[in-house]
Amino acid sequence: GAGVSQSPRYKVAKRGQDVALRCDPISGHVSLFWYQQALGQGPEFLTYFQNEAQLDKSGLPSDRFFAERPEGSVSTLKIQRTQQEDSAVYLCASSLADTDTQYFGPGTRLTVL
Amino acid sequence: ILNVEQSPQSLHVQEGDSTNFTCSFPSSNFYALHWYRWETAKSPEALFVMTLNGDEKKKGRISATLNTKEGYSYLYIKGSQPEDSATYLCALGPYQGAQKLVFGQGTRLTINP
């Protein structure tokens, strides 16, 4: 069946631009997670949704980062006024329930020039 | 701060050889340990979810063990093949009520033909 998809796969932005990254989770999955992976490091948690409710946003690095999941399915991660340190791979994952296995998308590689 | 450590960071192995690497984590408040395989340009793939001390799981030529009392897990690959080349990530979670996964920095495995 269809897995988690993310778009775009690659994004190049000039410093100061706003970007929006999309995640389509597996149909029926209640939980959705965003992670950021900087070069040479493991993925780090950004935020978590249960249906449309954002239950944990403790990992968002600044108020320039904003995530939403208005209808409890597709999610968008928005980064305003991008900085070079935002360059990373952004991974989305979904799971059937909170404690189940998380299934990942292929990520969006963001490069900020 | 929860610290998950993986070693080594990178590994080069001759095709046909067997190999193993380590994931270390705090032994208190353990719930589950996850192993993922992440091939370049693909989605991280869930390999194992391990919850019980002494757990041993196997998937083809790959197996994993878990020691929650001393806080480590080993991943073994028997008879390495070029398609095993990937980054192997371990992650702890949920942890202390938070649903997120906390990842190690990964072990990058390269199989030399």
Side-chain angles (χ1 to χ4, degrees):
Chain A
V4 178
S5 62
Q6 292 186 245
S7 60
R9 292 291 308 273
Y10 303 91
K11 177 71 179 176
V12 178
K14 291 184 180 177
R15 194 164 64 92
Q17 281 185 331
D18 297 348
V19 298
L21 312 181
R22 177 186 169 109
C23 173
D24 284 80
I26 294 172
S27 178
H29 277 196
V30 169
S31 300
L32 186 144
F33 302 81
W34 284 97
Y35 295 86
Q36 178 193 58
Q37 194 217 15
L39 193 62
Q41 298 182 24
E44 292 192 0
F45 170 78
L46 293 176
T47 187
Y48 154 61
F49 291 85
Q50 188 180 81
N51 295 307
E52 68 277 6
Q54 190 175 19
L55 299 186
D56 187 349
K57 52 182 181 179
S58 61
L60 296 176
S62 78
D63 58 8
R64 296 185 295 103
F65 286 70
F66 172 76
E68 61 183 4
R69 194 186 184 197
E71 296 179 0
S73 56
V74 172
S75 177
T76 304
L77 177 68
K78 296 179 180 177
I79 309 173
Q80 297 177 323
R81 304 181 305 280
T82 51
Q83 304 295 314
Q84 283 190 321
E85 61 262 28
D86 300 334
S87 295
V89 175
Y90 291 85
L91 289 166
C92 173
S94 70
S95 64
L96 195 55
D98 287 345
T99 56
D100 286 348
T101 297
Q102 294 183 23
Y103 295 91
F104 282 82
T108 294
R109 180 177 295 277
L110 173 65
T111 303
V112 182
L113 303 178
Chain B
I1 296 176
L2 176 58
N3 203 28
V4 178
E5 296 283 344
Q6 290 188 248
S7 63
Q9 287 194 19
S10 67
L11 193 54
H12 291 254
V13 173
Q14 206 63 31
E15 182 178 353
D17 288 351
S18 297
T19 187
N20 65 86
F21 28 92
T22 307
C23 174
S24 303
F25 52 87
S27 55
S28 60
N29 297 306
F30 176 85
Y31 183 86
L33 185 99
H34 307 253
W35 280 103
Y36 285 87
R37 174 171 60 198
W38 193 2
E39 296 178 65
T40 303
K42 294 188 178 179
S43 302
E45 173 197 357
L47 291 175
F48 306 113
V49 181
M50 309 182 79
T51 56
L52 298 176
N53 185 44
D55 244 358
E56 182 167 345
K57 298 210 171 180
K58 191 174 180 182
K59 185 176 182 177
R61 295 179 291 98
I62 304 177
S63 61
T65 61
L66 178 67
N67 184 323
T68 60
K69 292 183 179 178
E70 297 185 28
Y72 65 83
S73 175
Y74 292 139
L75 190 80
Y76 300 90
I77 302 177
K78 187 178 177 182
S80 303
Q81 299 297 310
E83 60 265 28
D84 296 328
S85 295
T87 295
Y88 291 82
L89 294 164
C90 71
L92 205 64
Y95 188 80
Q96 293 186 334
Q99 303 308 319
K100 64 185 179 183
L101 295 178
V102 178
F103 283 88
Q105 72 271 45
T107 293
R108 181 185 290 271
L109 176 65
T110 304
I111 308 301
N112 301 316

